[in-house]
Amino acid sequence: SHYGEVNEDWVMMKGTVMGCRKRLITLRKSLLPQVSRKATEKVELKFIDTASKMGHGRFQTSEEKAKFYGGATAKKARKEAKGAEKEAEE
């Protein structure tokens, strides 16, 4: 059986992976059946934090960034929002 096709540029993993940050890892099916309560519980995602913990991209959305910085960044966010609204109308 397969895990499926990876459609994104990344895969979210629970736990840690030893080695450098961009280490190549291979995913394979477990050799033993997972029967523990933790392994079989249904996962329900409510929020995925997209802010980087490395210091870059600390804002979730461009509106949040504009609210924090104000000025030119706020104008840019409004312009992007207008463009998105026009695309949605078409």
Side-chain angles (χ1 to χ4, degrees):
S1 91
H2 297 280
Y3 287 101
E5 187 176 320
V6 178
N7 297 323
E8 302 296 331
D9 294 336
W10 50 271
V11 176
M12 185 180 293
M13 295 177 50
K14 182 176 182 177
T16 60
V17 177
M18 295 298 292
C20 63
R21 182 170 66 155
K22 295 184 179 182
R23 178 182 183 165
L24 180 67
I25 57 172
T26 304
L27 301 177
R28 65 170 175 80
K29 188 172 181 176
S30 176
L31 297 174
L32 301 172
Q34 301 297 311
V35 295
S36 71
R37 180 178 290 220
K38 186 175 182 181
T40 57
E41 86 177 34
K42 186 170 172 20
V43 176
E44 191 174 316
L45 290 176
K46 294 186 175 121
F47 176 74
I48 298 176
D49 185 11
T50 59
S52 171
K53 306 298 183 256
M54 303 298 284
H56 303 286
R58 65 182 180 173
F59 303 105
Q60 300 292 323
T61 62
S62 56
E63 290 83 20
E64 187 178 323
K65 184 175 182 178
K67 184 178 178 184
F68 181 81
Y69 283 114
T73 311
K75 289 178 187 175
K76 183 179 176 185
R78 278 182 287 203
K79 187 176 181 182
E80 288 175 358
K82 273 188 179 178
E85 288 176 7
K86 284 184 180 180
E87 289 178 10
E89 290 174 1
E90 294 175 357

